[in-house]
Amino acid sequence: MRRLAVSLRAGLAAAALCIALNATSAMAQIMPPVEDPVANSRALLDRLQSDGAEPFVAEVMRLLKKKGENTELSTNLRPFSKKKPDVLGLAYDRNYNDLIRVMVFYAQYDDNRYPFMYYQFTYKKIKEGWAMTNFRFENEASRTFPEGYAAP
């Protein structure tokens, strides 16, 4: 019985060590910090307009700490590559107690089959600044925002 108790304690200690190591490696994988979420998002959209979809997607993937290329995202953003919208601005900026920020940029393109685009960026506060945790975009012509983009 005593051997079982010693083995059980050793097993629990090993499990605790594994959990601690996984937590440490998860902390090491935190997204790169940015100082100003609005300025960073605007710079990313400027990069989409000037450099095209591939460099934009590469930078978004770097900030999200996602490995590899995202060719589907690049392909879907290609119609907006190297095109300056006629209107571009921050339409929605929700700050949740200076811990989470959700921003939606609105863009209107005259020479595109998707004239009204919304680019949503989500950032979360980390010790070093802000980390981008999500990016998505969608077309919406009939509503103020695409469904799920802005809280009432």
Side-chain angles (χ1 to χ4, degrees), residues 31-32 40 44 60 63-64 121-123 130-135:
M31 292 75 173
N40 185 71
L44 285 168
V60 167
L63 289 170
L64 292 175
F121 298 86
T122 302
Y123 293 83
W130 293 92
M132 184 166 54
T133 59
N134 194 23
F135 167 75

Side-chain angles (χ1 to χ4, degrees), residues 90-104:
L90 180 60
Y92 181 83
D93 184 358
R94 182 78 188 257
N95 185 337
Y96 296 91
N97 290 328
D98 213 27
L99 295 172
I100 300 171
R101 299 265 312 261
V102 178
M103 289 158 281
V104 178

Side-chain angles (χ1 to χ4, degrees), residues 54-94:
E54 286 75 19
F56 171 86
V57 170
E59 181 63 10
V60 167
M61 293 295 118
R62 184 188 76 78
L63 289 170
L64 292 175
K65 285 291 246 193
K66 294 193 176 179
K67 303 255 188 255
E69 295 180 24
N70 193 328
T71 53
E72 182 181 354
L73 182 59
S74 293
T75 300
N76 291 337
L77 281 168
R78 198 160 288 127
F80 313 102
S81 288
K82 299 183 179 183
K83 290 190 179 182
K84 187 163 178 63
D86 294 311
V87 176
L88 175 65
L90 180 60
Y92 181 83
D93 184 358
R94 182 78 188 257

Side-chain angles (χ1 to χ4, degrees), residues 9-21:
R9 274 188 260 155
L12 289 173
L17 179 62
C18 287
I19 290 169
L21 289 174

Side-chain angles (χ1 to χ4, degrees), residues 13-31:
L17 179 62
C18 287
I19 290 169
L21 289 174
N22 284 339
T24 303
S25 68
M27 290 300 288
Q29 295 177 5
I30 290 178
M31 292 75 173

